[in-house]
Amino acid sequence: MHALRNIHAALAPAGIVVDTQPVSASPPLASEGGELGSLDMHDWLDTIHAVDERFTETIAAGLYELDHESSFVVTDTYDNGPECLNIVSGWRGTRVSRVLSKRLAAATSRVSVRQEVRLRLLRRST
């Protein structure tokens, strides 16, 4: 909540904070050959729940009002499986199974990851 208080202090009256978070627990990966599997992002969801608690606290404290919330799908595309594996294996709270790692290591065509992303707009209360 400390960061949200600092942002509140620096934000103009009625200013907007844009919060976007990937919220998929198991985003699918695919190549030109079809589905490869999915990532395990359940640990990441623990982080999202902690963020949600902080937002709830700042709204309850009267610092912000939730102005809008929606979700959409974002597709990240990589040139090949090894590139994808290199990137996604470094994502916080993300696990790549051995089976998926082997599939990605062997994928020579483009690989995509589809994630649901939540968008929230918080308006600074005056």
Side-chain angles (χ1 to χ4, degrees):
M1 187 156 119
H2 183 67
L4 290 170
R5 286 189 184 279
N6 289 343
I7 292 168
H8 181 270
L11 199 60
I16 299 285
V17 173
V18 177
D19 174 57
T20 59
Q21 300 288 337
V23 293
S24 303
S26 303
L29 285 83
S31 68
E32 292 173 6
E35 287 286 322
L36 296 171
S38 59
L39 298 173
D40 178 353
M41 294 184 69
H42 288 89
D43 288 347
W44 171 249
L45 291 183
D46 292 340
T47 300
I48 295 304
H49 295 307
V51 168
D52 290 346
E53 288 175 12
R54 299 306 166 271
F55 272 92
T56 299
E57 290 172 12
T58 58
I59 289 170
L63 297 176
Y64 298 97
E65 297 171 12
L66 181 62
D67 210 39
H68 174 81
E69 184 170 334
S70 62
S71 63
F72 53 94
V73 173
V74 172
T75 302
D76 295 317
T77 304
Y78 302 92
D79 289 336
N80 54 49
E83 178 189 29
C84 178
L85 179 59
N86 183 49
I87 300 292
V88 301
S89 62
W91 288 355
R92 181 177 174 190
T94 302
R95 293 186 193 144
V96 182
S97 70
R98 287 185 186 176
V99 170
L100 181 56
S101 290
K102 289 179 183 180
R103 289 177 183 162
L104 287 170
T108 57
S109 62
R110 290 168 36 92
V111 173
S112 62
V113 181
R114 295 184 43 143
Q115 293 190 76
E116 181 182 355
V117 174
R118 179 183 62 202
L119 167 72
R120 290 190 291 199
L121 303 178
L122 297 171
R123 182 172 306 279
R124 182 186 188 269
S125 299
T126 53

